[in-house]
Amino acid sequence: MAVDPSQVSSSWIQKFGGALESGDIHATISCIHPKGYFRDLLVFSWNNRCLRGHRELTTYLINGLAKASVTDATLESRPGLTPEYGPLTDKLPLRAVSAGFTFKCAIGVGRGYFSLVSTELGEWKALVVMMALTDIRGHEEIVQEEGVYGGHTHAWGDVLTERRRAIEANPHVLIVGGGQTGLIVAARFKQMNISALVVERNNRVGDNWRSRYPTLTLHTPKKSNTMLYQSFPTSWPVFTPRDKMADWLEQYAQSQDLVVWTNSQPLPQPIYDSLSKRWTVMVDREGERVTLNPVHIVVAGGTLGAPRIPVIRDAEVFAGTTIHASDYRGGKSFSGKRVIVVGAGNTAADICQDLVFNGAQSVTMVQRSTTRITSRTSARVMFDCMYPEELDIDVCDLMAMARPLRLTMKIEKQAREQTLEADKATHRGLREAGLNLETKKTFLTLWYEKRGGFWIDAGCAELIRSGKVKVKQGVEITRFNDQSAVFTDGSSLEADVVIFATSCEGIADTMRTVFGDEALDRVGPVWGIDKEGELRGCYRPTGHPGLWFAAGEFAVSRPFSKQLALEIKAIELGLLKL
């Protein structure tokens, strides 16, 4: 039977919107599939929550439904959000009617998205509903300024200087970290009229990229890595090289009028006053100590902290060179050398490829457990489906936010065989070469559990298949001799260089040296997912007042910077108390 997505969507939103407006929990629940997901971002509580099934959702809405006072649920008209009928995912045959919608609530306005499936009785029920607060009434996000100041009597340079002076003297928020996450958060705060000062320990914005290995290129297409408010030029490469990203971040800070102190960092140990609800934090600014009293501190260091280097017995007797991957500056200096690379993730694969190209005598990858490997072609197809060029990035982000992580992981698991088949060419020969492929855990599971354990292949797989990169699997280095590394299986391998591509600490662990154990013990885990499938400790209350963490890739920081801004604005307005 033919399905009219507009008619199905209109009928459902009328019923769902009416139930929300009347405060009728039973009627609201009846619009949701018995195994459906309901994701709430700051509408019914000041947190991000994801409930599954009628029982969980009923318990959740008992206290929040009437208070939220949702009204005027209306279907969206923007391209990409109008009603459509098709596969819920390109990997499974399940079909759904999906659409976006807007609504009003007690304190502002919001946007949502739903995907409806037909039950055995022919009723359309929501497998997924997401509702997110987008603006607090009277404190809406600024779209753009007119560009004329003081009745056309003030020069822009003077306006900018005065704004910068006011922020530097008394920032409401101190953002620690001037990489892409910190800059995106700062740009969002600026448009939300939240004064924010960014401190970046490197000499220039973008140096967090410039300091990485020269051949580093983003493994995901440019659309998914768009900075907030500012798209890449149409001529920009599909996969962004290291130095282009570094320079783009530097100009981004300038074009977005962000206040950034480079060569600056907070000193141990900031003190939080629970009475004044402000921090006292000493910042080393280019060797000068400056005291600041922000209301909030946002640690925006991505997901990774200090390099993690294994402690290995007899390291001092090794005559060769040992470095962490974060200090790898390219393979030219290792031409003619015998190199061991410990690790089998994205970074390890890139470094092995670079070493071969630059003439290393031998390259051996030490794979300690398993690795999930996806071809760049497969990854591009996936990301292009999620971030098509014809749609605005905020539309793409809204639809991505509407897909609960628990559901996405379930879909990935169900489509595992299909995914493996698509990457069959990439995997061919890797097992014969000794690599142990991860086939059970999905990409998302590895990302949120381990922040690694996978690579998107850009050429290393072929080098392994051809024998130019050897694999030593299932072992670790247990000790060193003067000319070799000895492994846990008793074997040894002569080497001139050992590179540890062994990832980094979690950002919260690294921040213990700044904030101290007492503060970080209150924060709890940062990164990973909780039992509802929501990010732990990021863009949400951490357990310590005035201390927040922003982490994750571009596609996370773009939309969730808005959530963080709304929470801080709500505290300022007395709507949220921590």
Side-chain angles (χ1 to χ4, degrees):
M1 182 178 295
V3 175
D4 183 344
S6 296
Q7 189 278 324
V8 171
S9 298
S10 296
S11 177
W12 185 88
I13 198 66
Q14 184 176 3
K15 182 180 179 182
F16 183 65
L20 291 172
E21 192 161 345
S22 66
D24 188 331
I25 292 180
H26 177 74
T28 301
I29 299 297
S30 71
C31 297
I32 313 295
H33 191 280
K35 296 183 179 180
Y37 296 80
F38 186 91
R39 193 178 196 193
D40 170 36
L41 304 177
L42 308 184
V43 178
F44 300 96
S45 70
W46 284 107
N47 212 323
N48 45 316
R49 301 289 304 277
C50 187
L51 300 310
R52 188 187 184 195
H54 287 184
R55 180 178 296 181
E56 282 188 13
L57 186 53
T58 298
T59 302
Y60 181 64
L61 292 180
I62 283 176
N63 296 321
L65 184 57
K67 187 177 179 180
S69 188
V70 176
T71 62
D72 297 333
T74 306
L75 291 177
E76 276 266 22
S77 59
R78 291 187 296 166
L81 297 178
T82 54
E84 291 186 0
Y85 178 61
L88 183 66
T89 169
D90 62 339
K91 297 186 182 303
L92 294 176
L94 181 64
R95 300 178 73 83
V97 171
S98 301
F101 64 100
T102 61
F103 60 90
K104 297 177 182 177
C105 60
I107 63 169
V109 297
R111 289 176 178 154
Y113 194 87
F114 59 80
S115 292
L116 313 176
V117 294
S118 181
T119 67
E120 293 179 355
L121 299 177
E123 300 176 300
W124 289 94
K125 304 283 186 180
L127 181 63
V128 172
V129 180
M130 185 277 294
M131 297 179 66
L133 180 69
T134 54
D135 276 307
I136 297 173
R137 195 171 291 109
H139 300 275
E140 290 80 6
E141 182 174 351
I142 300 168
V143 176
Q144 60 186 5
E145 296 181 345
E146 187 177 19
V148 178
Y149 303 94
H152 199 46
T153 63
H154 296 169
W156 166 241
D158 295 335
V159 171
L160 184 62
T161 298
E162 182 54 38
R163 288 179 178 179
R164 177 178 291 273
R165 183 183 297 117
I167 290 173
E168 291 179 328
N170 186 30
H172 191 72
V173 182
L174 178 67
I175 298 174
V176 180
Q180 63 269 18
T181 300
L183 297 180
I184 284 174
V185 171
R188 180 77 77 178
F189 284 6
K190 173 178 170 288
Q191 297 306 106
M192 293 285 288
N193 197 27
I194 300 170
S195 67
L197 170 65
V198 180
V199 291
E200 165 57 42
R201 66 180 180 178
N202 288 309
N203 292 328
R204 294 170 59 190
V205 171
D207 277 354
N208 61 316
W209 286 87
R210 294 185 187 94
S211 63
R212 301 290 301 280
Y213 54 93
T215 58
L216 173 62
T217 301
L218 291 183
H219 291 275
T220 51
K222 65 177 181 179
K223 182 69 177 281
S224 64
N225 301 315
T226 300
M227 294 291 285
L228 184 65
Y229 309 128
Q230 196 166 326
S231 299
F232 293 118
T234 56
S235 59
W236 197 264
V238 174
F239 300 101
T240 304
R242 178 198 75 169
D243 292 335
K244 287 186 73 68
M245 178 54 71
D247 292 344
W248 185 252
L249 294 182
E250 192 167 37
Q251 67 78 34
Y252 180 85
Q254 182 176 3
S255 64
Q256 295 296 324
D257 305 320
L258 306 181
V259 182
V260 183
W261 287 356
T262 54
N263 198 22
S264 303
Q265 58 186 326
L267 297 172
Q269 183 171 14
I271 298 172
Y272 184 77
D273 186 337
S274 58
L275 295 179
S276 66
K277 299 187 184 303
R278 284 185 175 271
W279 292 90
T280 297
V281 53
M282 187 80 70
V283 173
D284 180 341
R285 185 187 185 189
E286 298 182 328
E288 178 184 352
R289 296 193 171 193
V290 181
T291 301
L292 300 172
N293 298 108
V295 177
H296 304 277
I297 297 177
V298 176
V299 178
T303 61
L304 303 178
R308 183 184 289 125
I309 303 176
V311 177
I312 297 176
R313 184 159 56 97
D314 297 332
E316 71 280 359
V317 306
F318 182 53
T321 300
T322 61
I323 60 170
H324 189 267
S326 58
D327 293 319
Y328 179 78
R329 299 294 180 264
K332 290 182 179 179
S333 60
F334 302 129
S335 177
K337 304 290 187 181
R338 300 163 298 178
V339 187
I340 297 173
V341 178
V342 181
N346 260 329
T347 298
D350 281 356
I351 289 176
C352 286
Q353 185 174 3
D354 185 55
L355 287 165
V356 171
F357 176 78
N358 281 285
Q361 179 180 327
S362 66
V363 179
T364 302
M365 173 187 287
V366 177
Q367 185 196 33
R368 294 163 293 171
S369 54
T370 59
T371 308
R372 186 173 184 85
I373 301 175
T374 300
S375 68
R376 176 171 280 184
T377 300
S378 294
R380 183 174 180 181
V381 169
M382 178 181 69
F383 279 96
D384 284 348
C385 287
M386 295 174 62
Y387 299 94
E389 287 296 329
E390 66 271 16
L391 295 183
D392 291 341
I393 191 65
D394 66 315
V395 170
C396 298
D397 286 342
L398 181 68
M399 291 191 290
M401 290 168 66
R403 186 67 57 83
L405 276 174
R406 287 196 296 179
L407 175 60
T408 303
M409 288 176 164
K410 183 178 180 180
I411 291 172
E412 272 197 328
K413 188 174 182 180
Q414 291 175 342
R416 184 172 58 203
E417 293 303 321
Q418 182 181 341
T419 302
L420 291 174
E421 181 63 27
D423 286 325
K424 191 174 181 179
T426 299
H427 295 169
R428 187 179 301 119
L430 289 177
R431 286 189 177 89
E432 288 81 354
L435 202 74
N436 191 0
L437 297 177
E438 174 61 68
T439 59
K440 294 182 179 180
K441 290 188 176 182
T442 64
F443 174 84
L444 280 178
T445 299
L446 291 168
W447 173 237
Y448 287 109
E449 282 185 358
K450 300 173 61 176
R451 301 189 305 271
F454 57 85
W455 87 59
I456 297 175
D457 187 59
C460 187
E462 178 56 36
L463 295 177
I464 291 174
R465 290 196 296 261
S466 66
K468 294 180 180 179
V469 173
K470 300 290 193 299
V471 175
K472 195 165 182 60
Q473 206 284 321
V475 297
E476 297 187 53
I477 298 176
T478 185
R479 63 184 176 88
F480 281 110
N481 292 322
D482 61 339
Q483 299 290 331
S484 63
V486 180
F487 297 90
T488 49
D489 63 356
S491 64
S492 64
L493 189 64
E494 292 186 347
D496 303 302
V497 182
V498 176
I499 301 171
F500 293 102
T502 46
S503 191
C504 299
E505 296 177 344
I507 187 62
D509 294 329
T510 296
M511 284 295 109
R512 286 183 179 273
T513 60
V514 177
F515 291 94
D517 290 337
E518 183 179 351
L520 268 296
D521 286 344
R522 293 179 65 179
V523 166
V526 175
W527 198 248
I529 56 176
D530 62 19
K531 63 181 181 180
E532 293 181 352
E534 295 294 333
L535 271 177
R536 298 186 298 182
C538 304
Y539 307 99
R540 62 195 301 192
T542 62
H544 191 298
L547 181 57
W548 308 80
F549 282 82
E553 62 274 24
F554 296 80
V556 172
S557 57
R558 273 194 315 269
F560 282 98
S561 62
K562 184 62 175 283
Q563 176 176 325
L564 180 53
L566 286 168
E567 289 166 320
I568 287 177
K569 181 62 71 172
I571 293 171
E572 179 185 334
L573 298 173
L575 299 172
L576 171 60
K577 293 180 173 60
L578 297 179

